[in-house]
Amino acid sequence: MNVSYNWLKQYINIQETPLELAKILTNIGLEVGCIETFETVKGGLKGIIIGEVKTKIKHPNADKLSITTVDIGRKELLQVVCGAPNVDAGQKVVVATIGTILYKGDESFIIKESKIRGELSQGMICAEDEIGLGTSHEGIMVLPKDASIGTPASQYFKVESDTIFEVDITPNRIDAASHFGIARDLAAYFETTCQKPSVDAFMIDNNNHCFDVKVNDTEACLRYSGISIYGVLIAESPEWLKNRLKSIGINPINNVVDITNFILHELGQPLHAFDADMIKGKKVIIQTMPEGSLFTTLDGVERKLSSSDLMICNESEGMCIAGVYGGLHSGVTNQTTNIFLESACFNPRYIRKTAKKHGLSTDASFRFERGTDPNLTIYALKRASTMIRDIAKGTISSEIIDIYPNPINNFEIEIKFANINRLLGKNLEKNNIKNILKSLEISIEKEDNDGMLVHVPPYRVDVQREVDVIEEILRIYGYNNIETPIEVTSSLSYSPKPDKDKIINIISDYLAGSGFNEIMCNSLTKSEYYGDMETYPKEQLVTIMNPLSSDLNSMRQSLIFGGMESIIFNINRKNINLKLFEFGNCYKLNQNTSSDVLKKYCETLHLALFTTGNKATQNWTAKDEPTTYFQLKAYVYNILKRFGFDAETFETSHTGEKAYNDIFSEGLVYKKNNKEIFTIGSVHKKLLKAFDIEQEVFYADINWTALMELLKLNQVKYTEISKFPEVRRDLALLLDKQVSFEEVKKIAFRTEKKLLKKVSLFDVYEGANLGADKKSYAVSFILLDENKTLADKQIDGIMASLIRTFEKELDAKIR
C-alpha cells in the first residue's frame, strides 16, 4: 500500500524525516518496502526559472530561429536561440538553464550550452509540454506581466513534492490499510494523539429524496448505511485532491469518484456512489440472486453469479456485486446529477469467496475481505457527503439510513501481568502497559493486582486473545528494546551430518562466484503448466484447496517453470546473457498410496541451474560466444567434485529414453544406485515457445535430497600426490558414428584396471574422407604407477592391449 508522507502529516505532527519515519514504521510492524519521491511535475521543475526576454533579433543563419537575450535575475543576461514563432521582447517566459533535466515521458535530456547554427545558446525558453505543464507545443509559454523575474518555476507553479512509502500490510493488519490507520499507530508510538478529520460541518439540507433500503441477508451484510445527495455537478477534481490521489498511484476520474477513493485511502472505509436516477423504484435491496443469474460489471464483462454472491439490487435487478465491483449501468458518469452514497460493513467470508470466484481484486474487496470497522460507516458517510457538497456543489437530500440489526461489540479479553512479562522476557511497569493500551484505543474496564479486563475495538480484527494484546504491547514498546539476558545458558545440540544448510551455502557461494545470480520463485504455481506433460503429470499435482488465484493454485513439481518465467522477464528487459540458480522444494502427490499423509505427499529439495545467451558480455577482449551444454555440464560436475563425487562414475542415459523429452530437446540423465540424481540438457523448443523465448536455454536439475543421501555414504579420503610422474598417450580412433565416448571409456577402464587413471576426449572429427557413418575420436590416456616410474615397455604393452580391445569390441581403426 502506498502512503503519502504529506498526507500523514494532516493527522499527526511528524518531526521525523521520511527515512527516520520509515524505520519507525518498520519497527512497529508496518514494514516499509521502498521509499520514492513524488512530484506533481516530473523533475520538480528544478533549474527552471522565470525570466524576461529583453531583446530579439533574427538568426543570421536560419530563417525560423531568433536570437534572444533573457534576464533571469542574474548579473549577466543569457543569450538563448529560440525557434518559437511567438517569442518577443518584453515577454515573461519560462527558462530552462544549463544543467536542467527535461522529461518527455520516460525519456530525458539535459540542457547544455551549445552553438545552434553558429550562435551561442545558454539555455532554452520552454513551451508548456516541454516542462510537463500541458500538451501544447504551438509556442513558448508567455506568463502574465506581474510574474517576478528570477522566481523558481517550482515556486511560481506551486509544484508539490512528497515522499511515498510502500508499506507491506500483512493480512492481519487491515486496520492500518489507510492513512489515518497508520497515523493512529504512529500516535501510539509517539505517545501523542492524531487528529481525526472533523465532520462538524455535516448537515442535512433537505429530506426530499429518501430511498427504501432493505437488508435481506443480515449474515452477509453486517451493517448498511446510505445517504442521498442531489444536484451534484460532475467535473474535474480540484488540484489538491488530484495530487493526493496521484501521489499514491491512483488516476483521478471525476470529483465524486475521486472523493470516494480519497475516503477509502484516508479512513480505510470503502464507499460506493450509485447514480440515483438509475435505482429503479427508489429501492436498495441487499440480497443474493438465483444461481446462474447474469450480471454485467463495470468492465463490460458479463458474469454468472452464484447463489452466495451478495448483491446490491434495485426493485428489479442487480446494480453492484457487494463490496467487490460495480455494475455497468449504475455507476457515476459525466451525466449523473443525483447520487446515492453507500457505506457498509460486509462479512469478510462472503466477499472473499465472491472476489476469488470471479477473479476480481479491488481496493474495496481487499479491505472487506479482511474486515472493516463497523463503527466507521456513519462517520465516513458524513465526511464524504460534506466533501461532495463542498466540491461537487451537491445538496444532502436525506437523513442517513443506517441498518445495523446485530451490533458488533468490543472484544472482551482478560490479560495477566505475569503472562505479559513472561512472553516479553522483561518486567514492564504497569503504568507503561496501561499507557500503551490506551494509546491503541484498547480500554481498561477492570484492573487488579494480577491483571486487567480490556475491551478491544472491533476494527482490530486480529486482537481477540490475550497473546494478541501482549503482541500489541511489545510492538509499540519496541522489539529492539527487549534486552538480551546477561546470563546465557548453553547445552549440547545435535547437528545433522551432513549439514544441509552449510552445504547449500557453500554451493551458493561457488555459483555466485562463477557469475550466477540466485532466483527465488514462488512454490505456488499455475496448474496449466502441467496440462499435457508426461514428465510431471497433472495427476501428481498437489492442488491448493483455497487458492489465491488461478496463477497460484498448485504446488510446483519442478523448478523449470519458475526459471523460465525469470528468463523471459529478464529478456524482455534486454538482459539476455543469464546464469541463474535456485534451491527450492518440489512437491508431488503419490497416487495409489495409503491415507497416511507422510506417504501420500512427496517433498524434495532440488537445485536448478539455467544458462542462456552468451558466455560473457562482449568487450574488446571477448567476442560473443554462445553458452553451451558443456559449459553448464562443467558447473554441475564441479558441484559434485566439491563433495568428492566423480560424475564420470554415474550411470547415464539419454533423456529421450524417458518422458523427459517434453522438458529437454536432448540431454543426459545421471543415476547412482539406480536412482536419478541429476539431469542436464537443452530446454525443449516447445517449452521455449510457450514462454516466448527465442534463444536456446540450458537447464540442469539436481535432486538435492537424493544427493544428500549419497553424501552421507560418501567418504572423502586424502591421498598424497604421487612422487612419480604421470604418462600420457594419445590415440586417434576411427569409429562408427553411433559409438559414444562413454563406451570407449568403459572399455578402457575395464581393460586396464590398475594403472589407467583418466581417459579424456580432446577432439572429434567427421568428414567425407573418413567414409560414410564414421567419425574420429582423439582420446588421451593418463597412466600412473604410485610405486615406481613407468617403463616404456610397460606403457607400450598397456596401449597395445587397449588397441586390441578397441579393434575387437568397437571395430575401431587406429589412424
Side-chain angles (χ1 to χ4, degrees):
M1 184 186 76
N2 291 334
V3 176
S4 159
Y5 178 70
N6 290 344
W7 199 342
L8 278 178
K9 292 198 290 186
Q10 300 296 311
Y11 315 113
I12 183 171
N13 182 22
I14 299 174
Q15 302 298 327
E16 286 69 19
T17 65
L19 282 176
E20 292 170 339
L21 191 66
K23 291 180 181 178
I24 292 170
L25 288 171
T26 299
N27 287 338
I28 62 176
L30 303 172
E31 184 180 356
V32 176
C34 70
I35 304 175
E36 295 180 350
T37 299
F38 168 79
E39 293 164 323
T40 52
V41 177
K42 191 170 183 178
L45 301 184
K46 295 181 180 67
I48 303 176
I49 300 173
I50 306 303
E52 181 180 8
V53 179
K54 290 297 186 180
T55 64
K56 170 198 168 184
I57 61 173
K58 185 178 178 299
H59 194 294
N61 303 317
D63 293 337
K64 295 184 178 181
L65 298 179
S66 303
I67 299 175
T68 65
T69 55
V70 184
D71 180 7
I72 60 170
R74 297 178 181 176
K75 291 181 179 180
E76 297 180 357
L77 300 180
L78 298 182
Q79 179 172 299
V80 179
V81 176
C82 182
N86 64 328
V87 67
D88 206 352
Q91 293 174 335
K92 296 291 180 67
V93 293
V94 180
V95 183
T97 58
I98 294 170
T100 300
I101 301 175
L102 297 183
Y103 298 87
K104 187 172 184 180
D106 294 330
E107 297 180 359
S108 63
F109 65 94
I110 302 175
I111 300 298
K112 300 177 181 178
E113 184 177 295
S114 60
K115 285 193 174 183
I116 301 177
R117 296 289 183 92
E119 296 296 331
L120 180 67
S121 184
Q122 298 173 300
M124 176 177 172
I125 303 175
C126 302
E128 64 177 38
D129 69 324
E130 291 169 330
I131 57 175
L133 293 177
T135 58
S136 174
H137 194 70
E138 294 178 358
I140 59 169
M141 291 184 72
V142 179
L143 305 180
K145 293 291 184 182
D146 60 357
S148 178
I149 297 172
T151 303
S154 58
Q155 179 181 327
Y156 182 84
F157 292 106
K158 298 179 181 178
V159 174
E160 292 185 26
S161 180
D162 198 356
T163 300
I164 307 301
F165 307 106
E166 186 180 298
V167 180
D168 300 326
I169 300 294
T170 53
N172 63 314
R173 289 304 313 278
I174 195 60
D175 64 288
S178 65
H179 283 77
F180 184 76
I182 288 181
R184 186 168 50 200
D185 253 21
L186 289 172
Y189 176 83
F190 290 126
E191 298 180 1
T192 184
T193 58
C194 56
Q195 187 64 42
K196 203 170 188 177
S198 173
V199 292
D200 293 343
F202 172 80
M203 60 179 294
I204 298 167
D205 298 309
N206 60 65
N207 198 21
N208 299 332
H209 301 287
C210 291
F211 281 76
D212 182 13
V213 178
K214 292 182 179 179
V215 178
N216 292 339
D217 192 335
T218 56
E219 181 185 359
C221 182
L222 306 176
R223 185 173 191 177
Y224 193 89
S225 309
I227 196 169
S228 302
I229 307 172
Y230 272 52
V232 297
L233 178 63
I234 302 298
E236 191 174 319
S237 296
E239 286 299 317
W240 74 265
L241 179 54
K242 290 194 293 183
N243 290 338
R244 281 280 182 264
L245 297 178
K246 286 178 182 178
S247 70
I248 58 173
I250 296 176
N251 292 323
I253 298 174
N254 60 55
N255 47 14
V256 170
V257 174
D258 291 349
I259 288 169
T260 61
N261 281 330
F262 176 84
I263 298 298
L264 171 72
H265 290 276
E266 179 185 56
L267 303 174
Q269 173 62 43
L271 303 174
H272 190 76
F274 294 93
D275 188 325
D277 296 328
M278 302 299 291
I279 302 177
K280 296 180 181 178
K282 298 193 73 172
K283 291 184 178 180
V284 177
I285 305 168
I286 298 88
Q287 62 183 9
T288 56
M289 296 179 68
E291 182 74 31
S293 298
L294 298 178
F295 179 70
T296 304
T297 46
L298 194 59
D299 55 1
V301 177
E302 187 176 65
R303 304 179 188 275
K304 188 177 289 187
L305 302 175
S306 74
S307 57
S308 62
D309 292 336
L310 188 66
M311 299 290 295
I312 312 298
C313 307
N314 56 37
E315 68 174 3
S316 62
E317 61 187 2
M319 299 187 294
C320 173
I321 301 178
V324 179
Y325 216 44
L328 182 62
H329 303 297
S330 61
V332 173
T333 67
N334 292 336
Q335 288 71 46
T336 299
T337 55
N338 306 313
I339 64 172
F340 176 77
L341 190 62
E342 164 194 287
S343 179
C345 178
F346 299 113
N347 188 320
R349 182 163 52 90
Y350 282 80
I351 305 303
R352 188 162 51 248
K353 285 184 177 180
T354 296
K356 194 170 297 180
K357 176 182 180 296
H358 296 289
L360 295 170
S361 180
T362 60
D363 284 338
S365 68
F366 175 83
R367 288 159 177 80
F368 281 130
E369 286 176 20
R370 291 158 177 80
T372 56
D373 184 3
N375 297 326
L376 193 60
T377 61
I378 300 297
Y379 175 83
L381 270 186
K382 289 181 178 180
R383 173 84 167 132
S385 56
T386 302
M387 291 180 68
I388 292 173
R389 181 178 60 192
D390 294 343
I391 294 173
K393 312 304 179 186
T395 300
I396 300 176
S397 304
S398 75
E399 299 279 353
I400 291 178
I401 302 161
D402 186 31
I403 301 175
Y404 195 14
N406 302 304
I408 299 173
N409 298 320
N410 292 337
F411 306 124
E412 191 172 88
I413 304 170
E414 288 187 6
I415 57 175
K416 301 293 184 184
F417 292 121
N419 288 338
I420 295 174
N421 296 329
R422 177 176 61 84
L423 291 177
L424 266 60
K426 180 176 181 176
N427 293 330
L428 292 185
E429 292 184 5
K430 291 182 180 180
N431 284 338
N432 199 353
I433 293 172
K434 290 189 286 185
N435 289 337
I436 290 174
L437 293 177
K438 289 175 182 177
S439 70
L440 292 170
E441 300 184 3
I442 298 175
S443 61
I444 301 170
E445 300 299 314
K446 294 180 183 179
E447 180 187 355
D448 56 30
N449 291 331
D450 294 328
M452 298 175 287
L453 177 68
V454 301
H455 282 186
V456 180
Y459 70 76
R460 288 307 307 268
V461 294
D462 61 319
V463 183
Q464 301 186 28
R465 305 169 300 168
E466 181 187 29
V467 69
D468 297 329
V469 178
I470 296 172
E471 183 184 6
E472 289 299 292
I473 295 170
L474 176 59
R475 184 171 64 83
I476 298 302
Y477 178 75
Y479 295 98
N480 295 334
N481 293 325
I482 303 296
E483 300 90 351
T484 303
I486 297 175
E487 295 182 3
V488 179
T489 59
S490 62
S491 61
L492 294 175
S493 62
Y494 167 74
S495 180
K497 300 293 183 183
D499 188 331
K500 184 187 73 173
D501 294 328
K502 182 178 180 181
I503 290 174
I504 288 176
N505 287 337
I506 290 172
I507 297 305
S508 296
D509 288 344
Y510 160 70
L511 291 171
S514 300
F516 279 79
N517 287 300
E518 184 173 10
I519 58 175
M520 294 182 183
C521 302
N522 202 329
S523 295
L524 296 175
T525 186
K526 58 177 73 174
S527 58
E528 286 79 2
Y529 284 151
Y530 302 90
D532 56 353
M533 297 201 72
E534 296 179 41
T535 311
Y536 304 108
K538 193 170 185 178
E539 294 74 21
Q540 292 183 358
L541 271 179
V542 178
T543 56
I544 305 301
M545 295 179 63
N546 193 23
L548 296 173
S549 69
S550 59
D551 287 344
L552 301 170
N553 60 6
S554 302
M555 305 295 286
R556 63 188 177 192
Q557 288 194 63
S558 169
L559 303 180
I560 178 72
F561 298 108
M564 299 299 280
E565 288 174 349
S566 301
I567 289 171
I568 189 59
F569 180 88
N570 278 275
I571 289 174
N572 287 340
R573 286 153 183 80
K574 308 302 181 185
N575 187 17
I576 62 173
N577 302 323
L578 302 169
K579 292 197 291 187
L580 308 174
F581 78 95
E582 178 181 16
F583 280 99
N585 287 321
C586 297
Y587 311 84
K588 75 174 182 178
L589 181 67
N590 290 326
Q591 297 174 309
N592 303 321
T593 59
S594 65
S595 58
D596 185 349
V597 173
L598 294 177
K599 295 180 180 178
K600 187 176 182 181
Y601 297 100
C602 177
E603 177 180 346
T604 53
L605 181 63
H606 285 249
L607 167 61
L609 306 177
F610 301 88
T611 60
T612 186
N614 294 321
K615 289 183 179 180
T617 304
Q618 186 181 25
N619 57 63
W620 68 278
T621 63
K623 295 184 179 180
D624 286 345
E625 184 180 355
T627 187
T628 64
Y629 161 82
F630 298 101
Q631 183 192 24
L632 182 59
K633 182 180 176 183
Y635 288 123
V636 176
Y637 274 37
N638 284 339
I639 290 172
L640 297 173
K641 188 177 181 180
R642 177 63 179 80
F643 299 115
F645 292 109
D646 183 2
E648 301 290 353
T649 64
F650 284 58
E651 302 169 21
T652 60
S653 61
H654 290 284
T655 53
E657 297 175 15
K658 288 199 64 176
Y660 285 104
N661 54 9
D662 57 8
I663 294 291
F664 297 99
S665 292
E666 55 183 342
L668 289 176
V669 181
Y670 288 75
K671 297 180 182 178
K672 195 78 168 178
N673 301 331
N674 208 31
K675 188 167 186 178
E676 294 178 10
I677 306 301
F678 62 95
T679 310
I680 316 173
S682 58
V683 176
H684 202 287
K685 289 181 172 56
K686 181 179 178 182
L687 198 54
L688 295 177
K689 185 177 180 181
F691 283 89
D692 201 24
I693 297 173
E694 297 180 355
Q695 61 192 51
E696 194 167 16
V697 176
F698 299 99
Y699 164 57
D701 173 38
I702 301 177
N703 186 331
W704 202 256
T705 300
L707 187 62
M708 290 302 98
E709 291 298 319
L710 283 180
L711 192 56
K712 291 179 182 178
L713 306 174
N714 192 49
Q715 292 184 347
V716 180
K717 295 182 179 180
Y718 165 78
T719 57
E720 187 178 355
I721 296 176
S722 176
K723 298 177 181 178
F724 303 100
E726 293 179 344
V727 175
R728 170 174 168 164
R729 291 291 185 268
D730 298 340
L731 289 178
L733 302 174
L734 183 63
L735 301 163
D736 291 338
K737 277 191 176 180
Q738 66 268 23
V739 177
S740 68
F741 171 65
E742 289 295 321
E743 294 178 75
V744 174
K745 187 164 62 173
K746 287 179 181 178
I747 292 172
F749 280 111
R750 191 173 70 240
T751 304
E752 176 51 55
K753 297 179 180 178
K754 184 179 179 182
L755 301 179
L756 182 61
K757 302 302 180 183
K758 188 175 181 181
V759 180
S760 301
L761 178 66
F762 63 88
D763 190 30
V764 179
Y765 174 72
E766 295 180 16
N769 59 317
L770 296 181
D773 298 324
K774 292 290 183 179
K775 63 183 176 182
S776 175
Y777 274 167
V779 184
S780 67
F781 301 86
I782 304 297
L783 303 172
L784 174 67
D785 191 330
E786 304 284 351
N787 301 312
K788 64 179 187 300
T789 301
L790 286 169
D792 289 342
K793 184 177 180 181
Q794 191 178 9
I795 296 169
D796 293 341
I798 293 171
M799 296 308 297
S801 178
L802 288 172
I803 290 170
R804 285 194 302 272
T805 307
F806 291 145
E807 289 175 340
K808 180 180 178 182
E809 296 191 23
L810 299 178
D811 194 24
K813 301 289 188 297
I814 307 302
R815 298 182 66 208

